[in-house]
Amino acid sequence: MSDRQTRTTTSHWGAFDVTTEGGRIVDVAPFAADPDPSPIPNILPQAVHHANRVLRPSVRRGWLEGRRRDGRGTDDYVELPWDEALDLAAEELRRVIDAHGNEAIFGGSYGWASAGRFHHALSQVHRFLNCIGGYVKSFGSYSTGAAQAIMPHVLGENFLKLTYGYQNSWPTIRDHTETLVMFGGINPKNSQVNMGGVTRHQTRGWCEGFIAQGMKLVLVAPQRGDGPEGSDWMPVVPGTDTALMLALAYVLETEGLADHDFLARCASGYERFKPYLLGESDGVAKTPDWAAPICGIAADEIRALARRMAGTRTLITVSWSLQRQRFGEQPYWMAAVLAAMLGQIGLPGGGVGYGYGAIGGVGVAAKRLRGLALPQGENPVAEVIPVARIADMLLNPGAPYQFNGEDRTYPDIKLVYWCGGNPFHHHQDLNRLDRAWAAPETIIVHEPWWTPTAKRADIVFPSTTPYEREDIARANMDEYLFAMPQLIPPLGEARNDYDIFAGLAARLGQGEAFTEGRDVEGWLRHLYAEFVEMSREDGIEMPDYDRLREENWVKLPIVGDEHAISPFEAFRADPAAAPLKTPSGKVEIFSERIAGFNYEDCPGHPTWLPPEEWLGSETRGEMLHLVSPQPGDKLHSQLEAALQDVEGARPERVLIHPRDAAARGIADGQIVEMVNARGACLARAEVSEDIRPGVVSLPTGAWLDGAPGAVSRTGNPNVLTRDIGTSRLGQGSSAHTTLVAVRPAG
Ligand SMILES: Nc1nc2c(c(=O)[nH]1)N[C@H]1C(S)=C(S)[C@@H](COP(=O)(O)OP(=O)(O)OC[C@H]3O[C@@H](n4cnc5c(=O)[nH]c(N)nc54)[C@H](O)[C@@H]3O)O[C@H]1N2
Ligand SMILES: Nc1nc2c(c(=O)[nH]1)N[C@H]1C(S)=C(S)[C@@H](COP(=O)(O)OP(=O)(O)OC[C@H]3O[C@@H](n4cnc5c(=O)[nH]c(N)nc54)[C@H](O)[C@@H]3O)O[C@H]1N2
Ligand SMILES: [Mo]
């Protein structure tokens, strides 16, 4: 008798129907209500059942036999029974805590893990480490590290709150915006995903509607594909948007188009910025003719765009990628200054917004709900590092560094615990991270698959995937609530992260503190009951838990035009009555606070700072600028086990302009070598007019292969990228600031 059945689940890339039979996932199909489903889950059956799965607890031989730190990335593994492996890990945690204190444990564990509120891997690891006395955590994200540091200084709001809750919604833009100027684009490939899910993919649909209704969309980006079809493409030189924005500002100021009334009422410090803009303070007027050779956009085009922006309702949008580069604070700040000079902040469909298209939820007009989060407890350890500074920390214990006005020192880490992320995909300069990775005495990783990070751990615990456990899923800005059924039994001896931590906590005398006496179902019912209560307070009735499980999913009445936002209206109307949470209560064009930090890499007002690596570098030679965006065909490095099996998929494809390809004797489809002083990888050339000459684009996500230091044959761009903070202010990732030589592979 067949046990074939089809149920719905969800994921970061959306909901989909899963058919199972005989304990296996045999088919996936799009969720019926999704107008633009992502093809990412199509590979799921192959990925979940792939031979690459971690099936049993595994301990690196060199560590098991002699606690040796060398051999990470080359040693083989010994499989142990669960009890023995848990004993070993618990003893090691105990030893490190006794000898060095909890300050010697790094548990940042950055990464996207999987959707589902209870089994959220990062919440689980943080709760566990808090229960056993705390850990060094990380601040910010690779996505928006620099933005999270700079924007509170400028607009007085937490950046994430701004992005998800206080920007012009799609319906507001539809009804009011005439010109949409997209720095870094609004990228349809990126809006396929959203943390925790995006059920009705709508970003592409909104943008198509804008084009159809005659809105002018201007795409300022090195790749044509960074924006919706039908946009006017300005192929900017990477890393130079600030120079372009300064020139736009110069035109506004000198042609009498700047809104001085708004600047006087709602902004602070324009008079300290203006001398720089006009060149009175540094002898360089930021004219369109000055900017043109820097940013690659003709001076006349800059002038025309500035005039259009001043003459129409204009929304400036800035992609997250613009701050994932050296001095990434500057374009973020300068975009806000430009919007203030246009005087449209607080008008519906005008002003500035950040991260549209970066993930599916940005721009959706939705009522926010609370709850459904596993409580993480209190961390007794105060130490925190900016998330992208991990290699600096491991290489330089005790060394001083600056961060957002504070002088700090790096902690001395003896044990690294990772659950839900893949640093050997996501960090920059992976050969440097390999050197740093040799420093800790012990590295423990939970993973469903043998990722490059798992292959560099001392103890690897096999985690279930979301299809092997029950959960509840809900995402901000999404109108669906899911009961995620357990679809198949765990593969091999895989366990839930929760059960692994419960086992360790019990061994460390904190079992009750960690579980509070609940099993998985107990927690699901408990968290759901809280959520029902909070939602009721917010006026939304939820089904009871058993009904939700039975129905699989429900649609909530929380998305629609009535929830549309037009931000900063009250502030604009009366800045004294509704001030921003900046020191002046206004948009800070000059920041006394930042100026007081005395950082030459982030001065008191937005400034064009040429990065160390860009197309204008004196030492550039024949090198090209590498942008390493997010992959369009997947989420980061997830499901790569199966994707890399697809014929011709690896090495990853690199987009190169016909002119650059011809100059190097590279033909379409040819395997090329990409190399700089930090490392080398292979890639497959895709020759295309859709990228600016001088720029190549190699997406992230291929699993780093081979021994540490080897040429990456799969095409992981992070062997080439530079591991340096955006500035002393933000210390974010500078992934997009990289020069690289490209040549036919020999
Ligand atoms: N060059 C360059 N580098 C970049 C970027 C860039 O633009 N350019 N972008 C950066 C950005 S913004 C980000 S967010 C990062 C993304 O980097 P990551 O978030 O680290 O990438 P993922 O591949 O999503 O890693 C998640 C891992 O968690 C595992 N996992 C999934 N579910 C579970 C679970 O339930 N339990 C456990 N224990 N593990 C699970 C997956 O198998 C996967 O290996 O990359 C960054 N790196
Ligand atoms: N399919 C898919 N979608 C994703 C993800 C994924 O892995 N897969 N990851 C998600 C995550 S974690 C994040 S943080 C977001 C990231 O969202 P973003 O940061 O917006 O996306 P990226 O893909 O890194 O970059 C978008 C484009 O920015 C352009 N760019 C690079 N440098 C410059 C520059 O100096 N100036 C200008 N004007 N443009 C530049 C590049 O051409 C690049 O294609 O995407 C999310 N969406
Ligand atoms: Mo991200």
PDB file of all heavy atoms in Angstrom, residues 116-119 372 374 469-473 482 484 518-531 545 549:
ATOM      1  N   GLY A 116      11.265  28.396  10.166  1.00  0.00           N
ATOM      2  CA  GLY A 116      10.671  27.678  11.295  1.00  0.00           C
ATOM      3  C   GLY A 116      11.081  28.385  12.567  1.00  0.00           C
ATOM      4  O   GLY A 116      12.262  28.647  12.795  1.00  0.00           O
ATOM      5  N   ARG A 117      10.076  28.732  13.404  1.00  0.00           N
ATOM      6  CA  ARG A 117      10.377  29.610  14.532  1.00  0.00           C
ATOM      7  C   ARG A 117      11.032  28.890  15.704  1.00  0.00           C
ATOM      8  O   ARG A 117      11.915  29.434  16.349  1.00  0.00           O
ATOM      9  CB  ARG A 117       9.095  30.315  15.005  1.00  0.00           C
ATOM     10  CG  ARG A 117       8.445  31.230  13.981  1.00  0.00           C
ATOM     11  CD  ARG A 117       9.386  32.247  13.383  1.00  0.00           C
ATOM     12  NE  ARG A 117      10.049  33.034  14.416  1.00  0.00           N
ATOM     13  CZ  ARG A 117      11.245  33.586  14.300  1.00  0.00           C
ATOM     14  NH1 ARG A 117      11.940  33.414  13.199  1.00  0.00           N
ATOM     15  NH2 ARG A 117      11.749  34.289  15.266  1.00  0.00           N
ATOM     16  N   PHE A 118      10.597  27.683  16.011  1.00  0.00           N
ATOM     17  CA  PHE A 118      11.167  27.017  17.184  1.00  0.00           C
ATOM     18  C   PHE A 118      12.555  26.455  16.883  1.00  0.00           C
ATOM     19  O   PHE A 118      13.487  26.622  17.663  1.00  0.00           O
ATOM     20  CB  PHE A 118      10.240  25.899  17.690  1.00  0.00           C
ATOM     21  CG  PHE A 118      10.891  25.084  18.772  1.00  0.00           C
ATOM     22  CD1 PHE A 118      11.182  25.662  20.014  1.00  0.00           C
ATOM     23  CD2 PHE A 118      11.264  23.766  18.556  1.00  0.00           C
ATOM     24  CE1 PHE A 118      11.823  24.930  21.013  1.00  0.00           C
ATOM     25  CE2 PHE A 118      11.900  23.036  19.557  1.00  0.00           C
ATOM     26  CZ  PHE A 118      12.174  23.618  20.786  1.00  0.00           C
ATOM     27  N   HIS A 119      12.699  25.785  15.751  1.00  0.00           N
ATOM     28  CA  HIS A 119      13.984  25.145  15.451  1.00  0.00           C
ATOM     29  C   HIS A 119      14.983  26.132  14.833  1.00  0.00           C
ATOM     30  O   HIS A 119      15.957  25.694  14.209  1.00  0.00           O
ATOM     31  CB  HIS A 119      13.768  23.945  14.521  1.00  0.00           C
ATOM     32  CG  HIS A 119      13.042  22.807  15.188  1.00  0.00           C
ATOM     33  ND1 HIS A 119      13.620  22.037  16.167  1.00  0.00           N
ATOM     34  CD2 HIS A 119      11.783  22.337  15.024  1.00  0.00           C
ATOM     35  CE1 HIS A 119      12.747  21.116  16.580  1.00  0.00           C
ATOM     36  NE2 HIS A 119      11.628  21.280  15.909  1.00  0.00           N
ATOM     37  N   LEU A 372       6.177  34.235  18.820  1.00  0.00           N
ATOM     38  CA  LEU A 372       6.711  33.068  18.118  1.00  0.00           C
ATOM     39  C   LEU A 372       8.228  33.055  18.048  1.00  0.00           C
ATOM     40  O   LEU A 372       8.797  32.666  17.031  1.00  0.00           O
ATOM     41  CB  LEU A 372       6.140  32.965  16.699  1.00  0.00           C
ATOM     42  CG  LEU A 372       4.821  32.217  16.556  1.00  0.00           C
ATOM     43  CD1 LEU A 372       4.461  32.055  15.082  1.00  0.00           C
ATOM     44  CD2 LEU A 372       4.879  30.836  17.207  1.00  0.00           C
ATOM     45  N   LEU A 374      11.727  31.746  20.216  1.00  0.00           N
ATOM     46  CA  LEU A 374      12.258  31.009  21.356  1.00  0.00           C
ATOM     47  C   LEU A 374      13.029  31.991  22.247  1.00  0.00           C
ATOM     48  O   LEU A 374      13.944  32.664  21.768  1.00  0.00           O
ATOM     49  CB  LEU A 374      13.211  29.914  20.866  1.00  0.00           C
ATOM     50  CG  LEU A 374      13.875  29.071  21.955  1.00  0.00           C
ATOM     51  CD1 LEU A 374      12.856  28.157  22.631  1.00  0.00           C
ATOM     52  CD2 LEU A 374      15.020  28.247  21.380  1.00  0.00           C
ATOM     53  N   ARG A 469      11.296  17.411  10.940  1.00  0.00           N
ATOM     54  CA  ARG A 469      10.850  17.808  12.280  1.00  0.00           C
ATOM     55  C   ARG A 469       9.623  18.711  12.126  1.00  0.00           C
ATOM     56  O   ARG A 469       9.387  19.282  11.063  1.00  0.00           O
ATOM     57  CB  ARG A 469      11.982  18.559  12.995  1.00  0.00           C
ATOM     58  CG  ARG A 469      12.372  19.814  12.262  1.00  0.00           C
ATOM     59  CD  ARG A 469      13.715  20.373  12.702  1.00  0.00           C
ATOM     60  NE  ARG A 469      13.983  21.640  12.022  1.00  0.00           N
ATOM     61  CZ  ARG A 469      15.196  22.098  11.752  1.00  0.00           C
ATOM     62  NH1 ARG A 469      16.274  21.427  12.077  1.00  0.00           N
ATOM     63  NH2 ARG A 469      15.334  23.258  11.138  1.00  0.00           N
ATOM     64  N   GLU A 470       8.918  18.867  13.212  1.00  0.00           N
ATOM     65  CA  GLU A 470       7.715  19.693  13.166  1.00  0.00           C
ATOM     66  C   GLU A 470       8.028  21.107  13.646  1.00  0.00           C
ATOM     67  O   GLU A 470       8.840  21.300  14.559  1.00  0.00           O
ATOM     68  CB  GLU A 470       6.651  19.063  14.062  1.00  0.00           C
ATOM     69  CG  GLU A 470       5.350  19.815  14.025  1.00  0.00           C
ATOM     70  CD  GLU A 470       4.187  19.000  14.532  1.00  0.00           C
ATOM     71  OE1 GLU A 470       4.371  17.817  14.852  1.00  0.00           O
ATOM     72  OE2 GLU A 470       3.090  19.575  14.603  1.00  0.00           O
ATOM     73  N   ASP A 471       7.373  22.101  13.030  1.00  0.00           N
ATOM     74  CA  ASP A 471       7.647  23.487  13.443  1.00  0.00           C
ATOM     75  C   ASP A 471       6.473  24.395  13.060  1.00  0.00           C
ATOM     76  O   ASP A 471       5.503  23.948  12.449  1.00  0.00           O
ATOM     77  CB  ASP A 471       8.949  23.985  12.790  1.00  0.00           C
ATOM     78  CG  ASP A 471       9.696  24.985  13.671  1.00  0.00           C
ATOM     79  OD1 ASP A 471       9.056  25.616  14.545  1.00  0.00           O
ATOM     80  OD2 ASP A 471      10.920  25.154  13.483  1.00  0.00           O
ATOM     81  N   ILE A 472       6.593  25.637  13.445  1.00  0.00           N
ATOM     82  CA  ILE A 472       5.627  26.666  13.044  1.00  0.00           C
ATOM     83  C   ILE A 472       6.428  27.738  12.325  1.00  0.00           C
ATOM     84  O   ILE A 472       7.532  28.080  12.771  1.00  0.00           O
ATOM     85  CB  ILE A 472       4.950  27.313  14.269  1.00  0.00           C
ATOM     86  CG1 ILE A 472       4.319  26.244  15.160  1.00  0.00           C
ATOM     87  CG2 ILE A 472       3.899  28.331  13.845  1.00  0.00           C
ATOM     88  CD1 ILE A 472       3.849  26.787  16.497  1.00  0.00           C
ATOM     89  N   ALA A 473       5.883  28.276  11.239  1.00  0.00           N
ATOM     90  CA  ALA A 473       6.618  29.310  10.502  1.00  0.00           C
ATOM     91  C   ALA A 473       5.764  30.541  10.285  1.00  0.00           C
ATOM     92  O   ALA A 473       4.566  30.447  10.017  1.00  0.00           O
ATOM     93  CB  ALA A 473       7.078  28.771   9.149  1.00  0.00           C
ATOM     94  N   PHE A 482       2.138  29.081   8.997  1.00  0.00           N
ATOM     95  CA  PHE A 482       2.246  27.671   8.618  1.00  0.00           C
ATOM     96  C   PHE A 482       2.479  26.773   9.816  1.00  0.00           C
ATOM     97  O   PHE A 482       3.308  27.086  10.688  1.00  0.00           O
ATOM     98  CB  PHE A 482       3.438  27.463   7.669  1.00  0.00           C
ATOM     99  CG  PHE A 482       3.244  28.076   6.326  1.00  0.00           C
ATOM    100  CD1 PHE A 482       3.622  29.395   6.098  1.00  0.00           C
ATOM    101  CD2 PHE A 482       2.666  27.354   5.296  1.00  0.00           C
ATOM    102  CE1 PHE A 482       3.429  29.980   4.853  1.00  0.00           C
ATOM    103  CE2 PHE A 482       2.470  27.933   4.055  1.00  0.00           C
ATOM    104  CZ  PHE A 482       2.854  29.247   3.836  1.00  0.00           C
ATOM    105  N   MET A 484       4.410  23.576  10.004  1.00  0.00           N
ATOM    106  CA  MET A 484       5.316  22.814   9.126  1.00  0.00           C
ATOM    107  C   MET A 484       5.306  21.368   9.616  1.00  0.00           C
ATOM    108  O   MET A 484       5.834  21.073  10.679  1.00  0.00           O
ATOM    109  CB  MET A 484       6.735  23.376   9.200  1.00  0.00           C
ATOM    110  CG  MET A 484       6.873  24.816   8.699  1.00  0.00           C
ATOM    111  SD  MET A 484       8.493  25.520   9.130  1.00  0.00           S
ATOM    112  CE  MET A 484       9.592  24.683   7.990  1.00  0.00           C
ATOM    113  N   ARG A 518      10.053  20.928  28.809  1.00  0.00           N
ATOM    114  CA  ARG A 518       9.224  20.731  27.609  1.00  0.00           C
ATOM    115  C   ARG A 518       9.965  19.917  26.559  1.00  0.00           C
ATOM    116  O   ARG A 518      11.172  20.082  26.381  1.00  0.00           O
ATOM    117  CB  ARG A 518       8.860  22.087  26.986  1.00  0.00           C
ATOM    118  CG  ARG A 518       8.016  22.946  27.874  1.00  0.00           C
ATOM    119  CD  ARG A 518       7.520  24.192  27.123  1.00  0.00           C
ATOM    120  NE  ARG A 518       6.825  25.034  28.073  1.00  0.00           N
ATOM    121  CZ  ARG A 518       7.395  26.108  28.651  1.00  0.00           C
ATOM    122  NH1 ARG A 518       8.604  26.506  28.328  1.00  0.00           N
ATOM    123  NH2 ARG A 518       6.707  26.801  29.545  1.00  0.00           N
ATOM    124  N   ASP A 519       9.211  19.116  25.826  1.00  0.00           N
ATOM    125  CA  ASP A 519       9.766  18.502  24.620  1.00  0.00           C
ATOM    126  C   ASP A 519       9.394  19.413  23.432  1.00  0.00           C
ATOM    127  O   ASP A 519       8.840  20.498  23.633  1.00  0.00           O
ATOM    128  CB  ASP A 519       9.250  17.068  24.451  1.00  0.00           C
ATOM    129  CG  ASP A 519       7.730  17.009  24.370  1.00  0.00           C
ATOM    130  OD1 ASP A 519       7.068  18.091  24.304  1.00  0.00           O
ATOM    131  OD2 ASP A 519       7.186  15.892  24.362  1.00  0.00           O
ATOM    132  N   VAL A 520       9.715  18.959  22.210  1.00  0.00           N
ATOM    133  CA  VAL A 520       9.473  19.819  21.048  1.00  0.00           C
ATOM    134  C   VAL A 520       7.999  20.229  20.977  1.00  0.00           C
ATOM    135  O   VAL A 520       7.672  21.419  20.843  1.00  0.00           O
ATOM    136  CB  VAL A 520       9.905  19.112  19.741  1.00  0.00           C
ATOM    137  CG1 VAL A 520       9.436  19.905  18.530  1.00  0.00           C
ATOM    138  CG2 VAL A 520      11.416  18.930  19.713  1.00  0.00           C
ATOM    139  N   GLU A 521       7.107  19.253  21.102  1.00  0.00           N
ATOM    140  CA  GLU A 521       5.690  19.588  20.999  1.00  0.00           C
ATOM    141  C   GLU A 521       5.263  20.531  22.127  1.00  0.00           C
ATOM    142  O   GLU A 521       4.468  21.458  21.913  1.00  0.00           O
ATOM    143  CB  GLU A 521       4.822  18.326  21.001  1.00  0.00           C
ATOM    144  CG  GLU A 521       3.356  18.702  21.048  1.00  0.00           C
ATOM    145  CD  GLU A 521       2.413  17.734  20.360  1.00  0.00           C
ATOM    146  OE1 GLU A 521       2.885  16.725  19.807  1.00  0.00           O
ATOM    147  OE2 GLU A 521       1.208  18.018  20.393  1.00  0.00           O
ATOM    148  N   GLY A 522       5.816  20.302  23.320  1.00  0.00           N
ATOM    149  CA  GLY A 522       5.512  21.191  24.447  1.00  0.00           C
ATOM    150  C   GLY A 522       5.898  22.629  24.142  1.00  0.00           C
ATOM    151  O   GLY A 522       5.145  23.577  24.412  1.00  0.00           O
ATOM    152  N   TRP A 523       7.065  22.793  23.537  1.00  0.00           N
ATOM    153  CA  TRP A 523       7.510  24.148  23.174  1.00  0.00           C
ATOM    154  C   TRP A 523       6.638  24.761  22.085  1.00  0.00           C
ATOM    155  O   TRP A 523       6.297  25.943  22.133  1.00  0.00           O
ATOM    156  CB  TRP A 523       8.971  24.121  22.715  1.00  0.00           C
ATOM    157  CG  TRP A 523       9.941  24.285  23.845  1.00  0.00           C
ATOM    158  CD1 TRP A 523      10.718  23.312  24.400  1.00  0.00           C
ATOM    159  CD2 TRP A 523      10.225  25.493  24.568  1.00  0.00           C
ATOM    160  NE1 TRP A 523      11.472  23.839  25.423  1.00  0.00           N
ATOM    161  CE2 TRP A 523      11.194  25.168  25.552  1.00  0.00           C
ATOM    162  CE3 TRP A 523       9.761  26.806  24.491  1.00  0.00           C
ATOM    163  CZ2 TRP A 523      11.703  26.116  26.431  1.00  0.00           C
ATOM    164  CZ3 TRP A 523      10.270  27.762  25.373  1.00  0.00           C
ATOM    165  CH2 TRP A 523      11.228  27.415  26.340  1.00  0.00           C
ATOM    166  N   LEU A 524       6.296  23.939  21.087  1.00  0.00           N
ATOM    167  CA  LEU A 524       5.475  24.478  19.992  1.00  0.00           C
ATOM    168  C   LEU A 524       4.141  24.977  20.539  1.00  0.00           C
ATOM    169  O   LEU A 524       3.697  26.079  20.203  1.00  0.00           O
ATOM    170  CB  LEU A 524       5.258  23.408  18.913  1.00  0.00           C
ATOM    171  CG  LEU A 524       6.499  23.060  18.082  1.00  0.00           C
ATOM    172  CD1 LEU A 524       6.221  21.873  17.158  1.00  0.00           C
ATOM    173  CD2 LEU A 524       6.949  24.263  17.249  1.00  0.00           C
ATOM    174  N   ARG A 525       3.536  24.172  21.401  1.00  0.00           N
ATOM    175  CA  ARG A 525       2.246  24.580  21.964  1.00  0.00           C
ATOM    176  C   ARG A 525       2.402  25.826  22.837  1.00  0.00           C
ATOM    177  O   ARG A 525       1.575  26.737  22.807  1.00  0.00           O
ATOM    178  CB  ARG A 525       1.629  23.440  22.785  1.00  0.00           C
ATOM    179  CG  ARG A 525       1.103  22.335  21.909  1.00  0.00           C
ATOM    180  CD  ARG A 525       0.382  21.259  22.708  1.00  0.00           C
ATOM    181  NE  ARG A 525      -0.083  20.208  21.804  1.00  0.00           N
ATOM    182  CZ  ARG A 525      -1.193  20.275  21.071  1.00  0.00           C
ATOM    183  NH1 ARG A 525      -1.994  21.326  21.171  1.00  0.00           N
ATOM    184  NH2 ARG A 525      -1.523  19.310  20.249  1.00  0.00           N
ATOM    185  N   HIS A 526       3.487  25.865  23.599  1.00  0.00           N
ATOM    186  CA  HIS A 526       3.728  27.003  24.490  1.00  0.00           C
ATOM    187  C   HIS A 526       3.954  28.301  23.704  1.00  0.00           C
ATOM    188  O   HIS A 526       3.321  29.334  23.972  1.00  0.00           O
ATOM    189  CB  HIS A 526       4.950  26.682  25.358  1.00  0.00           C
ATOM    190  CG  HIS A 526       5.456  27.843  26.156  1.00  0.00           C
ATOM    191  ND1 HIS A 526       4.775  28.332  27.249  1.00  0.00           N
ATOM    192  CD2 HIS A 526       6.561  28.617  26.015  1.00  0.00           C
ATOM    193  CE1 HIS A 526       5.453  29.357  27.759  1.00  0.00           C
ATOM    194  NE2 HIS A 526       6.536  29.551  27.024  1.00  0.00           N
ATOM    195  N   LEU A 527       4.846  28.246  22.724  1.00  0.00           N
ATOM    196  CA  LEU A 527       5.140  29.457  21.935  1.00  0.00           C
ATOM    197  C   LEU A 527       3.905  29.903  21.153  1.00  0.00           C
ATOM    198  O   LEU A 527       3.633  31.102  21.028  1.00  0.00           O
ATOM    199  CB  LEU A 527       6.306  29.201  20.962  1.00  0.00           C
ATOM    200  CG  LEU A 527       7.671  28.916  21.601  1.00  0.00           C
ATOM    201  CD1 LEU A 527       8.704  28.596  20.522  1.00  0.00           C
ATOM    202  CD2 LEU A 527       8.152  30.118  22.431  1.00  0.00           C
ATOM    203  N   TYR A 528       3.150  28.914  20.659  1.00  0.00           N
ATOM    204  CA  TYR A 528       1.968  29.262  19.880  1.00  0.00           C
ATOM    205  C   TYR A 528       0.910  29.923  20.762  1.00  0.00           C
ATOM    206  O   TYR A 528       0.273  30.899  20.353  1.00  0.00           O
ATOM    207  CB  TYR A 528       1.412  28.021  19.173  1.00  0.00           C
ATOM    208  CG  TYR A 528       0.344  28.387  18.172  1.00  0.00           C
ATOM    209  CD1 TYR A 528       0.693  28.979  16.966  1.00  0.00           C
ATOM    210  CD2 TYR A 528      -1.002  28.189  18.453  1.00  0.00           C
ATOM    211  CE1 TYR A 528      -0.275  29.360  16.057  1.00  0.00           C
ATOM    212  CE2 TYR A 528      -1.978  28.568  17.547  1.00  0.00           C
ATOM    213  CZ  TYR A 528      -1.611  29.158  16.346  1.00  0.00           C
ATOM    214  OH  TYR A 528      -2.573  29.549  15.450  1.00  0.00           O
ATOM    215  N   ALA A 529       0.750  29.397  21.971  1.00  0.00           N
ATOM    216  CA  ALA A 529      -0.262  29.975  22.871  1.00  0.00           C
ATOM    217  C   ALA A 529       0.071  31.447  23.169  1.00  0.00           C
ATOM    218  O   ALA A 529      -0.814  32.314  23.168  1.00  0.00           O
ATOM    219  CB  ALA A 529      -0.333  29.166  24.162  1.00  0.00           C
ATOM    220  N   GLU A 530       1.350  31.728  23.376  1.00  0.00           N
ATOM    221  CA  GLU A 530       1.770  33.134  23.596  1.00  0.00           C
ATOM    222  C   GLU A 530       1.442  34.002  22.383  1.00  0.00           C
ATOM    223  O   GLU A 530       0.991  35.139  22.501  1.00  0.00           O
ATOM    224  CB  GLU A 530       3.290  33.198  23.803  1.00  0.00           C
ATOM    225  CG  GLU A 530       3.766  32.843  25.174  1.00  0.00           C
ATOM    226  CD  GLU A 530       5.304  32.942  25.249  1.00  0.00           C
ATOM    227  OE1 GLU A 530       5.967  33.172  24.212  1.00  0.00           O
ATOM    228  OE2 GLU A 530       5.816  32.777  26.343  1.00  0.00           O
ATOM    229  N   PHE A 531       1.714  33.434  21.208  1.00  0.00           N
ATOM    230  CA  PHE A 531       1.485  34.154  19.951  1.00  0.00           C
ATOM    231  C   PHE A 531      -0.008  34.460  19.764  1.00  0.00           C
ATOM    232  O   PHE A 531      -0.387  35.572  19.368  1.00  0.00           O
ATOM    233  CB  PHE A 531       2.030  33.300  18.803  1.00  0.00           C
ATOM    234  CG  PHE A 531       1.724  33.801  17.426  1.00  0.00           C
ATOM    235  CD1 PHE A 531       2.262  34.993  16.967  1.00  0.00           C
ATOM    236  CD2 PHE A 531       0.906  33.073  16.567  1.00  0.00           C
ATOM    237  CE1 PHE A 531       1.991  35.449  15.686  1.00  0.00           C
ATOM    238  CE2 PHE A 531       0.634  33.521  15.291  1.00  0.00           C
ATOM    239  CZ  PHE A 531       1.171  34.717  14.849  1.00  0.00           C
ATOM    240  N   TYR A 545      -4.045  25.626  18.043  1.00  0.00           N
ATOM    241  CA  TYR A 545      -2.890  24.915  17.493  1.00  0.00           C
ATOM    242  C   TYR A 545      -3.287  23.667  16.711  1.00  0.00           C
ATOM    243  O   TYR A 545      -2.769  23.408  15.618  1.00  0.00           O
ATOM    244  CB  TYR A 545      -1.921  24.565  18.631  1.00  0.00           C
ATOM    245  CG  TYR A 545      -0.652  23.921  18.136  1.00  0.00           C
ATOM    246  CD1 TYR A 545       0.216  24.622  17.303  1.00  0.00           C
ATOM    247  CD2 TYR A 545      -0.333  22.608  18.479  1.00  0.00           C
ATOM    248  CE1 TYR A 545       1.369  24.031  16.827  1.00  0.00           C
ATOM    249  CE2 TYR A 545       0.818  22.021  18.011  1.00  0.00           C
ATOM    250  CZ  TYR A 545       1.669  22.722  17.180  1.00  0.00           C
ATOM    251  OH  TYR A 545       2.804  22.141  16.715  1.00  0.00           O
ATOM    252  N   ARG A 549      -2.572  22.845  12.747  1.00  0.00           N
ATOM    253  CA  ARG A 549      -1.885  21.649  12.263  1.00  0.00           C
ATOM    254  C   ARG A 549      -2.714  20.923  11.212  1.00  0.00           C
ATOM    255  O   ARG A 549      -2.201  20.449  10.205  1.00  0.00           O
ATOM    256  CB  ARG A 549      -1.666  20.688  13.428  1.00  0.00           C
ATOM    257  CG  ARG A 549      -0.383  20.916  14.161  1.00  0.00           C
ATOM    258  CD  ARG A 549      -0.417  20.086  15.402  1.00  0.00           C
ATOM    259  NE  ARG A 549       0.710  19.174  15.484  1.00  0.00           N
ATOM    260  CZ  ARG A 549       0.824  18.282  16.464  1.00  0.00           C
ATOM    261  NH1 ARG A 549      -0.096  18.179  17.396  1.00  0.00           N
ATOM    262  NH2 ARG A 549       1.877  17.503  16.501  1.00  0.00           N
TER     263      ARG A 549
END
